[in-house]
Amino acid sequence: MPENLIGKDVIAALAARAAGLHGADGNPRVKQVVNRLLVDLMVAIDELDISMDEFWTGIAYLTQAGKQNEFGLIVPGLVLEHFLDLRLDEAERRAGLTGGTARTIEGPLYIAGAPLSKREARLDDGTDDGEVLFMEGQVRDILGKPISGAIVDVWHANTMGNYSHFDPTQTAYNLRRRIETDEDGRYRFRSIMPSGYACPRGSQTEKLLKAMGRHGNRPAHVHFFITSPGHRKLTTQINIDGDKYLYDDFAFGTRSELIPVVEHVAEARQINQAGLNKPFARIRFDFTLTKRAVAAPTTVVNREHAEAA
Ligand code: MBD
Ligand code: FE
């Protein structure tokens, strides 16, 4: 069939009717968004000459993706979560909000309610024989003043690239903690070096990426939410330097400001001092929060988050 079978005016009229634009009832914002998306979709179908089979293949794909709870994975894989970050970055820049630690995507694997402790925590349950990782730093405001009582909510994968809760073989809240900074704004934790995540074999996400000629791997990383009253919530990650996928992240989350130096400590005295009997890794990373501001869109995102049983 030839493309462009339907006039743009006809498409506009159909979308307006389907989105209820002619009535006063319903939610105006939903109507506005649905109308626009319908117009764009019908124009795409018409201009790309999308066949009935192609269309229904797409619907079957999305139906299965929903059943398997994969939209949270498809969104970053199709760069949309990073795109939302870029928009927020630009809105902040225009509002004159600068100087904070770079944000990057939350991803789909956060769960709420991790154990809370003061100043320090151990994240791993001791069952994963990965390289021991000590990470520490300070949370400060943009003037350099330490922020005490900030919450560092940290989560990461194990040496298989899997996250507790989503991986039923791990204990509840393994590699997930909330740490309250001390009087000097400091936090510190012991954990294990994570491995990069890979989209599940046979998943809808993997099928889509394959069809694009892409892979579904992320470099090793550690996620953070940093919160403090009076400051903007920061959602970010650090990436582990040297990872093969450092600049080839399927989720587009890597930012050059978020790749700290990883010290590999092999000196006997330091190993002893750390209470260990083998070499370990150390990362120092400070977070800078900007002040809460009315001029910029909020950084608090209301997303559905599971909680461990
Ligand atoms: C992850 O661990 C992640 O951080 C993202 C963004 C997507 C999939 C898995
Ligand atoms: Fe992750």
Side-chain angles (χ1 to χ4, degrees):
M1 275 195 278
E3 72 274 18
N4 265 320
L5 297 173
I6 308 293
K8 298 279 189 285
D9 51 335
V10 175
I11 286 176
L14 291 170
R17 278 175 62 203
L21 293 199
H22 304 303
D25 294 343
N27 179 320
R29 178 62 169 169
V30 173
K31 290 161 73 165
Q32 177 189 36
V33 171
V34 168
N35 176 62
R36 173 57 182 269
L37 294 180
L38 279 175
V39 168
D40 288 353
L41 183 58
M42 284 190 271
V43 168
I45 289 169
D46 206 32
E47 293 187 351
L48 299 177
D49 193 23
I50 290 174
S51 71
M52 293 246 189
D53 279 358
E54 285 174 333
F55 181 85
W56 290 107
T57 297
I59 295 298
Y61 174 85
L62 293 172
T63 301
Q64 193 58 27
K67 282 185 190 169
Q68 294 172 192
N69 194 22
E70 287 191 51
F71 285 117
L73 204 49
I74 292 170
V75 165
L78 291 182
V79 86
L80 293 170
E81 197 167 350
H82 177 61
F83 178 69
L84 296 175
D85 276 349
L86 293 179
R87 293 194 73 247
L88 198 43
D89 289 349
E90 181 60 18
E92 286 183 346
R93 200 189 60 74
R94 291 184 190 190
L97 274 173
T98 54
T101 297
R103 70 168 46 80
T104 196
I105 57 174
E106 172 186 325
L109 303 173
Y110 175 77
I111 66 168
L116 174 64
S117 56
K118 281 228 157 103
R119 191 174 67 244
E120 57 188 8
R122 180 169 174 176
L123 275 55
D124 68 300
D125 65 6
T127 60
D128 192 327
D129 199 28
E131 183 183 15
V132 172
L133 167 66
F134 289 101
M135 181 163 170
E136 61 184 297
Q138 199 178 30
V139 179
R140 293 189 294 256
D141 68 17
I142 56 165
L143 301 174
K145 188 169 154 277
I147 302 174
S148 73
I151 302 296
V152 175
D153 198 337
V154 50
W155 72 103
H156 68 79
N158 66 5
T159 57
M160 307 285 287
N162 295 325
Y163 286 78
S164 66
H165 184 80
F166 303 95
D167 168 11
T169 72
Q170 294 183 50
T171 52
Y173 290 115
N174 190 38
L175 310 179
R176 301 174 185 275
R177 287 295 184 277
R178 288 177 296 157
I179 304 165
E180 185 182 335
T181 57
D182 68 12
E183 323 63 65
D184 202 23
R186 298 199 171 274
Y187 75 92
R188 174 184 146 79
F189 64 80
R190 173 184 169 164
S191 195
I192 51 160
M193 191 62 88
S195 289
Y197 171 94
C199 290
R201 297 268 162 266
S203 62
Q204 292 296 90
T205 310
E206 191 196 43
K207 281 181 208 160
L208 183 61
L209 292 168
K210 257 204 186 108
M212 307 290 133
R214 295 177 48 200
H215 64 71
N217 296 291
R218 297 208 69 205
H221 60 279
V222 180
H223 294 266
F224 299 93
F225 286 144
I226 316 286
T227 54
S228 156
H231 298 92
R232 283 166 73 74
K233 176 177 180 172
L234 172 66
T235 299
T236 196
Q237 309 173 22
I238 56 144
N239 285 123
I240 304 302
D241 200 3
D243 193 293
K244 163 177 179 208
Y245 294 106
L246 191 59
Y247 285 108
D248 189 20
D249 176 8
F250 97 94
F252 306 92
T254 308
R255 302 193 119 164
S256 56
E257 311 93 303
L258 302 174
I259 308 170
V261 170
V262 182
E263 264 182 274
H264 291 279
V265 181
E267 199 202 350
R269 189 183 54 83
Q270 289 200 65
I271 290 172
N272 231 300
Q273 216 167 39
L276 301 175
N277 52 24
K278 57 177 188 182
F280 63 94
R282 184 163 53 209
I283 294 174
R284 300 176 203 274
F285 194 81
D286 300 332
F287 298 95
T288 305
L289 301 186
T290 54
K291 283 240 153 32
R292 195 151 281 178
V294 281
T298 181
T299 57
V300 177
V301 179
N302 292 306
R303 268 176 87 160
E304 225 178 281
H305 291 134
E307 239 177 283

